[in-house]
Amino acid sequence: MPVLCSLAVSPSGRLAAVGARLAWSGETMADLGDNVTIPEFSCLLQMDPYLKPYEQDFRRRYELLQKQLFLLEEAEGGFDQFTRSYNTFGVQRRPDNSLYFKEWAPAAEALFLTGDFNGWDKFSHRYTKKEFGKWELILPPKHDNSPAVDHNSKLKVVVHTKEGQRLYRISPWAKYVTKEEKAIIYDWVHWDPPQPYIHIHPRPKKPTSLRIYEAHVGIGSPEGKIASYNNFTTNVLPRIKDLGYNCIQLMAIMEHAYYASFGYQITSFFAASSRYGTPDELKQLIDVAHSMGILVLLDVVHSHASKNTEDGLNRFDGSDSCFFHSPPRGEHSLWDSRLFDYSSWEVLRFLLSNLRWWMEEYRFDGFRFDGITSMLYHHHGIGTGFTGDYSEYFGLQVDEDSLVYLMLANHVLHTLYPDCITVAEDVSGMPALCRKVEEGGLGFDYRLAMAVPDKWIQILKELKDEEWNIGNIVHTLTNRRYGEKCIAYAESHDQALVGDKSLAFWLMDKEMYTNMSSLIPMTAIIDRGMQLHKMIRLITHGLGGEGYLNFMGNEFGHPEWLDFPREGNNQSYHYARRQFNLVDMDHLRYGQLYAFDRDMNRTEDKYGWLAAPPAFVSAKHEEDKVIVFDRANVLFIFNFHPNKSFQDYRVAVEAPGKYKIKLDSDAVQYGGHGRLDHNTEFFTYPEPFNGRSNSIKVKKNRTAVFKTYFRASLLEGIYWQNSSNCKPG
């Protein structure tokens, strides 16, 4: 067993061996990595032999992780207790109704508590200084044995610095903060309801096919205002369920003072945003989602923090460090935000406990980690173009403190919650990002396929239809690391933000205001836009990854762009809303796009191509603009040609038998022209073609000629399901 002779945490929060050495089977900490092996590293090398030259880098990373786990065991009794520090920091009500307050402020000279409970007396309730920068205060209950601080009353930490400053701060562990209507600074509000919400429904099982609905509570209404948790529960959740999504990624939940930051400038990490409602209303939202079989992921921001001081983490104890590196390392030049010191013991306590808090208190099912590229590299990805050369992912440019934090976070989450889902937002292509920690990877379940939406936007901005490079489209959709699962998406919130436009608006632009009525013939622009909108989403869904993501409203072609109220738009909410009412108007074509998205998801749920091995692409014909691939025993056929249709067109299939149309973008209910007879049966011929054992000729039948293009402005995508193994008749 390891023997701890003396262990301490320095005032800066870094772990240090003091007065003696740590012994582990007779070896010093410096020797710890000499005999450390990565248990399943051979699996990673088998997956990618080109990583062999970087084995020492993987061993060092894994060694650093093992050291952290060793120290957690010795100093804190293991990560289980360590990650529950939200039960000891901030404010805690004890069984006798006394209140225990605890903070970490290593640079402070003194700490006081003030608030409604003591008439805002700045000096009456002083914290006691403890070891390693900790401060404690105990408030006995009132004479009636009720807590000294009432539920929903305001508090402040008063920090006295060594330079003689008096600072007013919110506890970093505050569970609820609010802002008065005309105020600028948020207030720490003591949240201790007499009857807290109790979750009723268990977490759904982890799905094999992940279909994510990316959502923002505040814009979840057609009205020009900040929508609520209750609105989302009542009006948005049923739509998500109907659409066939089995997972929601909730954005902008962690409290952020600036609404227009889209939730990426966090000020209070443990507080659910009060602009949408109360913590209990968010808990109910998640509980109802669980009752529908829908998982809920939190968009977590541990890559940086807001520079706010009075209602943020910045300069909490008066110093320019505390939770962060001192400048310049501790500042992000593009985001104008602070960067965490992941080597700090107390920062690890704070961030890991933050993950545990959202899992335990609110029962989230996992996380989408924002800004991973900024964390992984000292250059934060600024001014760096990643070419895919492996030397870019190893060496001195890698920030191994933050990399090991991500390994540790995934190890903790997947150990405590085996069905937890973690998604990484990384643009660099870091190898082994989504391989198990036991293999030397970072432990994420999925990574976002960020090149895919960029490719679609680039095509629509720069190329005419006849200039589309079919091979390049297929390459972009399939160019991902083998064995590392990707979330594919045609567009997310990034593409909808002000300065850009949704795919639908790129395709149809101003005609969406006047020509989306189904009571009038489609114009050429609307026709082209409707068909391409469906095709882009279907081919991304089928070919682009092992999961799929859609940003709220884009499933029905939400027009315009997304912009939050700010000085530049006169604080307008006009573009900070989702016009679900457009779907509900039967005479508008938005409902047709909605229906296609719904049936696309439901069809995937039936056949499970997202959980299947990568697709086999049998055709990517540049002249014909045709793409054919099969996946999960399903055949997908796309024709992107702007003015050419086909008959007697031969396509490759593997499984012999009879094929029938199962999803057709040209169906009338999806805004198509209904030119295909869905009763037609297509039989295979035992003629190998394009790398497959059999082939089908799509030819003229009794009622229709197979045409994927009828006019210059019509595009369609179809896939077929093998229904039997009968021989052709």
Side-chain angles (χ1 to χ4, degrees):
M1 292 290 291
V3 179
L4 180 64
C5 298
S6 179
L7 187 69
V9 180
S10 68
S12 67
R14 292 171 179 80
L15 196 69
V18 180
R21 69 177 180 86
L22 286 166
W24 190 16
S25 302
E27 297 178 87
T28 65
M29 282 289 291
D31 300 324
L32 183 60
D34 291 352
N35 296 317
V36 169
T37 59
I38 306 174
E40 300 175 30
F41 188 60
S42 60
C43 297
L44 182 62
L45 289 184
Q46 186 176 1
M47 193 80 63
D48 187 354
Y50 292 101
L51 291 174
K52 178 65 176 175
Y54 304 98
E55 180 174 358
Q56 192 58 39
D57 292 86
F58 283 103
R59 287 171 59 85
R60 184 177 61 255
R61 295 171 182 180
Y62 192 77
E63 171 191 348
L64 291 170
L65 172 67
Q66 293 305 311
K67 285 182 179 180
Q68 289 285 20
L69 292 171
F70 171 74
L71 293 173
L72 283 170
E73 188 68 36
E74 294 300 323
E76 303 280 350
F79 63 72
D80 186 21
Q81 291 300 317
F82 186 67
T83 58
R84 290 181 183 269
S85 293
Y86 51 79
N87 287 330
T88 53
F89 280 76
V91 54
Q92 310 295 329
R93 177 161 56 87
R94 292 177 164 178
D96 64 353
N97 273 350
S98 63
L99 296 177
Y100 173 72
F101 294 81
K102 185 176 183 179
E103 301 295 346
W104 176 63
E109 183 69 21
L111 255 65
F112 295 86
L113 184 70
T114 187
D116 292 332
F117 78 100
N118 67 358
W120 295 96
D121 191 313
K122 303 177 186 63
F123 303 103
S124 59
H125 292 82
R126 182 172 186 147
Y127 285 74
T128 302
K129 189 174 184 178
K130 300 294 182 180
E131 289 184 304
F132 315 127
K134 311 286 177 53
W135 300 82
E136 294 180 355
L137 170 66
I138 297 175
L139 295 183
K142 299 177 185 176
H143 294 301
D144 62 1
N145 204 40
S146 63
V149 179
D150 295 332
H151 168 60
N152 254 337
S153 60
K154 295 179 182 179
L155 295 166
K156 284 278 188 183
V157 177
V158 185
V159 178
H160 289 239
T161 69
K162 292 179 173 62
E163 294 75 28
Q165 292 178 298
R166 184 192 304 160
L167 309 173
Y168 295 90
R169 298 290 187 255
I170 289 176
S171 169
W173 301 80
K175 309 301 192 299
Y176 189 53
V177 296
T178 64
K179 184 171 72 73
E180 300 292 339
E181 186 175 351
K182 295 185 179 180
I184 297 175
I185 305 299
Y186 272 75
D187 296 308
W188 175 17
V189 175
H190 181 52
W191 184 259
D192 187 18
Q195 294 180 321
Y197 185 86
I198 298 175
H199 291 270
I200 301 171
H201 303 283
R203 287 189 172 102
K205 291 183 179 179
K206 185 177 181 178
T208 54
S209 294
L210 196 62
R211 300 181 299 274
I212 301 174
Y213 195 84
E214 185 183 37
H216 186 292
V217 171
I219 66 173
S221 166
E223 300 179 61
K225 64 177 184 180
I226 298 177
S228 66
Y229 294 125
N230 287 340
N231 168 76
F232 196 94
T233 302
T234 303
N235 298 317
V236 183
L237 282 182
R239 294 182 186 272
I240 298 172
K241 174 66 174 176
D242 180 61
L243 282 163
Y245 291 94
N246 55 17
C247 181
I248 300 169
Q249 178 185 301
L250 276 185
M251 309 173 62
I253 294 298
M254 302 166 74
E255 190 60 271
H256 47 292
Y258 185 41
Y259 187 46
S261 74
F262 220 143
Y264 292 118
Q265 292 274 347
I266 306 300
T267 45
S268 290
F269 282 72
F270 287 82
S273 182
S274 61
R275 56 171 57 87
Y276 319 127
T278 68
D280 282 2
E281 289 165 349
L282 173 58
K283 292 176 184 179
Q284 183 182 36
L285 184 161
I286 296 170
D287 200 21
V288 173
H290 285 170
S291 75
M292 297 176 173
I294 299 173
L295 303 176
V296 186
L297 307 183
L298 176 69
D299 198 346
V300 71
V301 186
H302 281 184
S303 50
H304 65 131
S306 168
K307 273 190 174 180
N308 286 20
T309 53
E310 287 194 53
D311 55 6
L313 290 184
N314 192 21
R315 304 184 70 89
F316 173 70
D317 63 354
S319 72
D320 64 0
S321 53
C322 196
F323 289 93
F324 311 105
H325 288 290
S326 296
R329 185 179 177 185
E331 293 182 337
H332 197 291
S333 58
L334 291 184
W335 296 345
D336 193 30
S337 55
R338 296 304 311 269
L339 300 175
F340 287 105
D341 179 0
Y342 302 99
S343 69
S344 165
W345 191 256
E346 294 304 320
V347 171
L348 289 179
R349 181 196 305 278
F350 182 79
L351 294 177
L352 291 173
S353 295
N354 187 235
L355 297 174
R356 190 80 185 272
W357 165 258
W358 293 109
M359 292 292 290
E360 290 286 336
E361 185 71 12
Y362 289 91
R363 297 187 65 79
F364 278 94
D365 300 288
F367 303 94
R368 178 257 199 194
F369 281 75
D370 178 70
I372 294 300
T373 306
S374 174
M375 297 176 68
L376 291 175
Y377 308 96
H378 290 294
H379 54 63
H380 309 300
I382 299 173
T384 303
F386 292 94
T387 65
D389 189 296
Y390 276 12
S391 64
E392 297 169 343
Y393 307 120
F394 304 94
L396 296 178
Q397 68 266 33
V398 177
D399 187 337
E400 291 194 336
D401 289 337
S402 55
L403 185 147
V404 171
Y405 162 69
L406 292 171
M407 293 176 70
L408 182 60
N410 276 304
H411 174 74
V412 168
L413 287 170
H414 289 107
T415 301
L416 295 173
Y417 313 97
D419 283 345
C420 175
I421 296 172
T422 57
V423 181
E425 186 211 29
D426 170 44
V427 73
S428 75
M430 169 68 76
L433 185 71
C434 299
R435 299 302 299 179
K436 294 188 298 183
V437 169
E438 292 78 12
E439 295 181 9
L442 273 71
F444 286 97
D445 296 291
Y446 296 89
R447 69 197 314 156
L448 293 175
M450 300 182 70
V452 174
D454 291 343
K455 173 56 63 178
W456 289 125
I457 292 294
Q458 181 235 334
I459 288 172
L460 295 180
K461 279 184 179 180
E462 300 175 6
L463 301 178
K464 298 177 181 178
D465 291 348
E466 58 270 21
E467 296 173 343
W468 286 28
N469 187 319
I470 295 300
N472 185 251
I473 291 172
V474 171
H475 174 75
T476 303
L477 288 167
T478 57
N479 182 28
R480 53 187 184 271
R481 291 189 56 80
Y482 181 73
E484 299 193 38
K485 292 188 288 187
C486 284
I487 303 292
Y489 55 106
E491 54 184 335
S492 70
H493 70 274
D494 285 327
Q495 286 70 43
L497 286 172
V498 63
D500 211 327
K501 296 184 288 191
S502 66
L503 284 180
F505 215 55
W506 275 113
L507 288 164
M508 296 175 278
D509 207 68
K510 61 183 179 181
E511 288 214 11
M512 297 189 78
Y513 296 123
T514 56
N515 294 319
M516 284 296 281
S517 173
S518 59
L519 303 178
I520 60 174
M522 283 191 286
T523 65
I525 289 176
I526 294 297
D527 196 352
R528 171 185 179 271
M530 290 279 293
Q531 314 318 323
L532 270 179
H533 190 272
K534 291 175 287 184
M535 292 180 69
I536 287 171
R537 304 177 95 73
L538 178 57
I539 197 171
T540 301
H541 207 304
L543 192 58
E546 291 70 39
Y548 178 76
L549 178 144
N550 167 71
F551 178 62
M552 68 186 307
N554 288 351
E555 71 276 3
F556 63 82
H558 199 286
E560 301 174 326
W561 52 87
L562 188 63
D563 190 14
F564 286 86
R566 53 189 174 85
E567 287 186 12
N569 64 13
N570 294 319
Q571 304 299 329
S572 171
Y573 286 88
H574 180 74
Y575 297 108
R577 59 192 179 118
R578 295 284 92 175
Q579 300 180 60
F580 293 113
N581 56 300
L582 296 175
V583 178
D584 301 330
M585 298 179 184
D586 294 338
H587 68 284
L588 296 182
R589 297 192 181 277
Y590 297 100
Q592 297 169 344
L593 296 177
Y594 175 99
F596 182 81
D597 198 83
R598 177 197 64 207
D599 291 350
M600 177 176 66
N601 283 320
R602 291 180 180 181
T603 308
E604 194 289 324
D605 188 60
K606 180 177 180 180
Y607 298 113
W609 60 73
L610 289 172
F616 181 89
V617 180
S618 59
K620 43 184 177 180
H621 201 292
E622 291 296 341
E623 184 178 347
D624 293 344
K625 304 298 183 191
V626 169
I627 298 172
V628 181
F629 61 89
D630 57 85
R631 189 177 185 187
N633 205 28
V634 170
L635 180 65
F636 295 75
I637 306 173
F638 295 84
N639 177 19
F640 286 98
H641 204 288
N643 52 32
K644 193 175 182 181
S645 57
F646 305 95
Q647 57 184 350
D648 294 327
Y649 200 86
R650 189 178 179 193
V651 297
V653 296
E654 184 60 31
K658 180 176 65 178
Y659 286 70
K660 296 189 69 174
I661 300 172
K662 293 295 181 181
L663 186 65
D664 172 15
S665 69
D666 194 44
V668 173
Q669 66 266 33
Y670 307 140
H673 297 269
R675 291 165 312 204
L676 296 179
D677 181 2
H678 287 207
N679 294 317
T680 303
E681 295 178 341
F682 298 89
F683 293 92
T684 59
Y685 292 86
E687 300 174 3
F689 184 64
N690 284 355
R692 294 320 238 173
S693 302
N694 298 279
S695 59
I696 290 177
K697 275 191 176 181
V698 187
K699 58 184 179 180
K700 184 175 181 179
N701 58 50
R702 293 178 182 174
T703 58
V705 176
F706 173 72
K707 294 183 179 181
T708 56
Y709 240 120
F710 189 68
R711 294 190 179 93
S713 58
L714 178 61
L715 304 92
E716 301 158 11
I718 303 149
Y719 82 83
W720 315 69
Q721 164 67 23
N722 185 9
S723 59
S724 74
N725 286 322
C726 61
K727 296 179 182 179

